Amino acid sequence: MTDFIGNGKGSVELDQIGLRPCCDVYWNVIVPELYEHVARKREGLVASGGPLVVKTGQHTGRSPKDKFIVREPSSETNIDWGDVNQPFDPDKFDALCKHVIAHLNQRDLYIEDLYANADEHYRLSIRYVMESAWQAMFLRNLFIRPTISQLTNFAPQWIVLSAPTFEADPARDGTRSKTFIIVNFAKRVILVGGTSYAGENKKCIFSVLNYLLPLQGVLPMHCSANVGHDGQSALFFGLSGTGKTTLSADPTRTLIGDDEHGWSDFGIFNFEGGCYAKVINLSASSEPEIFAATNRFGTVLENVVINEHNRRVNFDDDSLTENTRSAYPLWYIPNATQSGVGPHPRNVVFLTADAFGVLPPISRLTLDQANFHFMSGYTAKVAGTEKGVTEPQATFSACFAAPFLVHKPQVYADMLVDRIRKHRANVWLVNTGWTGGPHGVGSRMKLSYTREMVRAALEGDLDNVPFHPDPIFGLNVPARVNGVPSDLLNPRNTWADKDAYDTKARELRQRLENNYEHLVKYGKGVGAAVG
């Protein structure tokens, strides 16, 4: 007989989606109890200091090639179909859904009723049904937890069925592999299976919001956000490894969120209630707030190496993956806002880790340049990060969020430029990558210098500083920034071989132009945008 344990609704609401579990169902169980479940089921280890350490097996990151959207009449005309948004047959979805439900019916289930979107005008209620206690902890950390009174009348708008130990049969189910992430906008159901990487459960909702919110006049953004003592907020766009989480966790500013936000007519708001920080090489000296949050009871650490004898973790060990992660509630950061909302941003920062070492460490963008660099979403992979990568490779992710965009990239770019213009926001391009030469020759930009440059931009210290155009990229570079060596501001000055710099800079400019032309299908205005 099934027992329903925790703050839940019982069998009636499960039956509405076809779930008739034969084992125990744990509904909105609090974190201390989830620790007990994890220990009993041997899902992870408790590290010194209290965080839970888990391994996700062969999947230590997302599986973008296994993500699909059901092609059906209510949404198909709004979706930018292609390699990112792969179509899935509705009948195949229904059949696979039955297989997933049959699988879940034979297991203990953990159910979490959670919210996305701090702004109640756009709040989304989500019911997660899963077979893993640690993933229930992960989701309680990452999303917004309803109050007890809100749970009493909780009505899910979306349901996510997560079955990591269920593997699809591609020949039967129409998937690419045994792994699948499938979104059905008509039925408002998401299937996740064949992967234990919990980030899939988080990011599938980001994809949903990237579809829904633009239709409501809200810009969804893959960015972190904070607000200063002057009440002015800032956005930080960037791909993995560029410093999005690190730079937003500033002890002198109030953190709104570290990863996903919306920009509406009312201001900005966090989609989530927690942080999902990359923690490879994490240290207390360089990132004290994140380090402290990561070493607390309730935090979930994915694929961080732990000594099983003394239970100490080694953040420098990448033997499992470089994509080691820490998932913790937002309130673990002492200067985080409780509301999750902020005013219209005064500054917008695009972060890039340029492994070629040719972009200025900070520059101010025009509106045309903002559109260009937002559409480009440029950063660089370096040797050793992926199999087959032996030298720096330019990587482009439109709007800094290509794997999660559902509409065409220009839809999001137009919305961003419109808001920048309307609210007179400054736009900055910050290179957190290399200087003095490419990766392997030059050195990584010092975090202390980057912090000084970002601080100067956000606090208005650069308002009265002269700027000069970079001769190759056309970017407006400040003549000085307090606390930063003046030679560093002009990347060419940091290279011993000036001709080599010119060659590499022109090469990157050409790659940027080619990528932009591909995105918009024509090259008009590209030259003006980059100089």
Side-chain angles (χ1 to χ4, degrees), residues 10-21 25 27 93-94 96-102 104-105 109-111 113 126-130 156-162 187-191:
S11 62
V12 175
E13 292 197 0
L14 294 186
D15 188 62
Q16 291 175 353
I17 59 173
L19 276 167
R20 300 176 184 87
V25 177
W27 211 310
F93 177 88
D94 292 343
L96 180 55
C97 188
K98 290 179 180 178
H99 290 302
V100 171
I101 287 174
L104 293 174
N105 277 336
L109 295 183
Y110 295 86
I111 299 178
D113 292 331
I126 311 155
R127 174 161 294 157
Y128 281 93
V129 181
M130 69 210 93
Q157 296 165 286
W158 279 79
I159 294 173
V160 181
L161 301 177
S162 177
K187 297 192 173 183
R188 293 182 296 182
V189 172
I190 302 172
L191 304 179

Side-chain angles (χ1 to χ4, degrees), residues 322 353-355 380-386 389-393 434 439:
E322 286 196 358
D354 174 29
K381 296 177 184 178
V382 298
T385 58
E386 288 186 11
V389 178
T390 57
E391 60 182 23
Q393 294 183 1
W434 276 257
H439 176 264

Side-chain angles (χ1 to χ4, degrees), residues 118-165:
D119 188 332
E120 294 185 9
H121 293 91
Y122 307 103
R123 180 152 287 174
L124 197 71
S125 55
I126 311 155
R127 174 161 294 157
Y128 281 93
V129 181
M130 69 210 93
E131 54 180 307
S132 168
W134 82 260
Q135 291 203 353
M137 282 182 58
F138 173 93
L139 292 165
R140 285 180 71 85
N141 285 352
L142 265 295
F143 284 91
I144 299 168
R145 302 179 191 177
T147 63
I148 295 297
S149 61
Q150 288 172 330
L151 285 173
T152 302
N153 300 305
F154 190 89
Q157 296 165 286
W158 279 79
I159 294 173
V160 181
L161 301 177
S162 177
T165 63

Side-chain angles (χ1 to χ4, degrees), residues 240-491:
S240 178
T242 58
K244 179 162 54 73
T245 297
T246 299
L247 292 171
S248 61
D250 183 337
T252 68
R253 297 173 66 84
T254 299
L255 179 67
I256 299 174
D258 84 322
D259 195 36
E260 301 167 4
H261 293 80
W263 191 348
S264 73
D265 291 339
F266 306 104
I268 59 175
F269 60 92
N270 193 356
F271 289 169
E272 302 176 316
C275 299
Y276 194 35
K278 191 172 182 179
V279 292
I280 191 69
N281 300 320
L282 178 69
S283 69
S285 59
S286 62
E287 301 175 76
E289 293 82 10
I290 296 173
F291 185 86
T294 290
N295 286 280
R296 286 185 59 172
F297 178 87
T299 293
V300 177
L301 303 182
E302 284 184 318
N303 301 311
V304 173
V305 174
I306 181 172
N307 184 312
E308 295 188 11
H309 299 291
N310 61 24
R311 298 298 177 94
R312 294 179 180 174
V313 297
N314 183 355
F315 293 112
D316 298 327
D317 192 330
D318 63 356
S319 58
L320 294 176
T321 177
E322 286 196 358
N323 190 36
T324 54
R325 293 280 180 169
S326 172
Y328 50 86
L330 191 64
W331 62 84
Y332 278 16
I333 299 294
N335 58 322
T337 178
Q338 297 299 308
S339 68
V341 301
H344 296 291
R346 182 75 178 91
N347 290 280
V348 175
V349 180
F350 298 157
L351 301 170
T352 178
D354 174 29
F356 300 106
V358 295
L359 285 176
I362 187 169
S363 52
R364 188 167 58 195
L365 307 184
T366 65
L367 275 176
D368 284 343
Q369 290 172 334
N371 176 75
F372 177 88
H373 287 281
F374 187 62
M375 288 280 285
S376 297
Y378 163 69
T379 193
K381 296 177 184 178
V382 298
T385 58
E386 288 186 11
K387 184 178 181 180
V389 178
T390 57
E391 60 182 23
Q393 294 183 1
T395 301
F396 303 98
S397 183
C399 309
F400 299 97
F404 318 111
L405 303 184
V406 184
H407 304 283
K408 292 184 181 298
Q410 194 66 60
V411 170
Y412 307 94
D414 288 346
M415 294 181 76
L416 179 68
V417 170
D418 179 68
R419 282 156 177 73
I420 291 170
R421 181 188 294 110
K422 181 177 180 181
H423 299 288
R424 300 181 179 181
N426 299 311
V427 186
W428 308 89
L429 180 66
V430 172
N431 175 19
T432 61
W434 276 257
T435 185
H439 176 264
V441 177
S443 58
R444 189 78 189 255
M445 202 76 64
K446 287 185 178 180
L447 179 58
S448 59
Y449 290 155
T450 299
R451 288 193 188 279
E452 282 299 317
M453 289 182 279
V454 170
R455 183 205 59 77
L458 302 192
E459 295 184 5
D461 292 357
L462 302 184
D463 289 352
N464 298 314
V465 170
F467 283 71
H468 60 82
D470 179 276
I472 293 179
F473 296 101
L475 301 166
N476 296 305
V477 180
R480 61 181 181 276
V481 177
N482 290 337
V484 179
S486 57
D487 282 350
L488 191 71
L489 299 175
N490 184 340

Side-chain angles (χ1 to χ4, degrees), residues 165-179:
T165 63
F166 175 86
E167 295 182 338
D169 179 347
R172 178 195 68 188
D173 298 318
T175 57
R176 187 192 71 92
S177 71
K178 296 178 180 180
T179 301

